[in-house]
Amino acid sequence: MTAVPSYLSPTGQEIVFLLLGAVAVGSALLVVTTRQLVHAALWLVVSFGALAGCYVVLTAEFVAWVQVLIYVGAVVVLLLFGIMLTRAPIGRSADLDSGNRLVAAVVALATAGVLVAVVIDAFRTAYTPLEPGGGAAKELGASVFRTWVLPFEALSVLLLAALIGAIVLSRTDIKSGDEPPAPESRGE
């Protein structure tokens, strides 16, 4: 009987990573195939949480916390506010029941396949030896606050404009300037 080489037996870390990846992919499929918008947003939270767990397994705790704070804490909350403020249907919707679920799932799987293939091809030769005290956080912080500060600020202004637009669109008490005021507001 021959022994299994050590590089073929998965470690506990690899098993946890694969399980979290399966949860992320499964919940992402449920995001695009569910018939209820609020459930789609909640499955998105599960997908983002599993992705943050993958980052923790890869010892990228900073990126995991950014994932939780930015995506789960901000983007999903903004999505839920947008659903609630625009009075989008919260339950089952006829628009979502149109039978395009299979097409959405196929498009999601094809997109995931292309993304996985591109990432594998791009990082096939990438290797960085881990050095204790290498100061990777210092370079990351310098990159974020020097090179990428303008795109981050532009994105924050865009998200703020989207939130304000959703509030304006959802308000029914705002009238255009051409209409006369309602009788109850004139004191009649």
Side-chain angles (χ1 to χ4, degrees), residues 6-7 16 20 40 57 70 77 95 102 105 127-128 132 150 162 164 184:
S6 64
Y7 61 86
V16 170
L20 286 171
V57 170
I70 301 292
V77 169
D95 294 337
L102 181 62
Y127 176 78
T128 302
L150 187 60
I164 291 171
E184 60 272 359

Side-chain angles (χ1 to χ4, degrees), residues 99-151:
N100 291 332
R101 294 174 64 204
L102 181 62
V103 174
V106 168
V107 168
L109 285 174
T111 303
V114 168
L115 287 174
V116 167
V118 166
V119 167
I120 288 173
D121 185 51
F123 290 107
R124 180 169 292 151
T125 59
Y127 176 78
T128 302
L130 297 175
E131 300 171 7
K138 183 177 180 181
E139 287 89 16
L140 178 67
S143 173
V144 166
F145 291 111
R146 288 191 186 130
T147 308
W148 297 103
V149 71
L150 187 60

Side-chain angles (χ1 to χ4, degrees), residues 68-80:
V68 169
L69 292 174
I70 301 292
Y71 287 101
V72 176
V75 172
V76 173
V77 169
L78 183 66
L79 178 69
L80 287 172

Side-chain angles (χ1 to χ4, degrees), residues 27-169:
S27 58
L29 282 173
L30 287 170
V31 168
V32 296
T33 58
T34 188
R35 295 180 182 203
Q36 297 183 4
L37 287 176
V38 174
H39 289 180
L42 295 176
W43 282 118
L44 191 62
V45 168
V46 172
S47 180
F48 286 157
L51 189 59
C54 288
Y55 290 139
V56 168
V57 170
L58 294 173
T59 65
E61 292 86 6
F62 175 74
V63 179
W65 278 113
V66 168
Q67 174 79 18
V68 169
L69 292 174
I70 301 292
Y71 287 101
V72 176
V75 172
V76 173
V77 169
L78 183 66
L79 178 69
L80 287 172
F81 273 129
I83 289 171
M84 291 180 207
L85 288 175
T86 58
R87 292 187 180 89
I90 294 186
R92 291 185 179 255
S93 172
D95 294 337
L96 296 176
D97 291 339
S98 62
N100 291 332
R101 294 174 64 204
L102 181 62
V103 174
V106 168
V107 168
L109 285 174
T111 303
V114 168
L115 287 174
V116 167
V118 166
V119 167
I120 288 173
D121 185 51
F123 290 107
R124 180 169 292 151
T125 59
Y127 176 78
T128 302
L130 297 175
E131 300 171 7
K138 183 177 180 181
E139 287 89 16
L140 178 67
S143 173
V144 166
F145 291 111
R146 288 191 186 130
T147 308
W148 297 103
V149 71
L150 187 60
F152 279 143
E153 291 300 322
L155 181 63
S156 67
V157 170
L158 179 67
L159 289 173
L160 178 64
L163 183 61
I164 291 171
I167 291 170
V168 168
L169 288 175

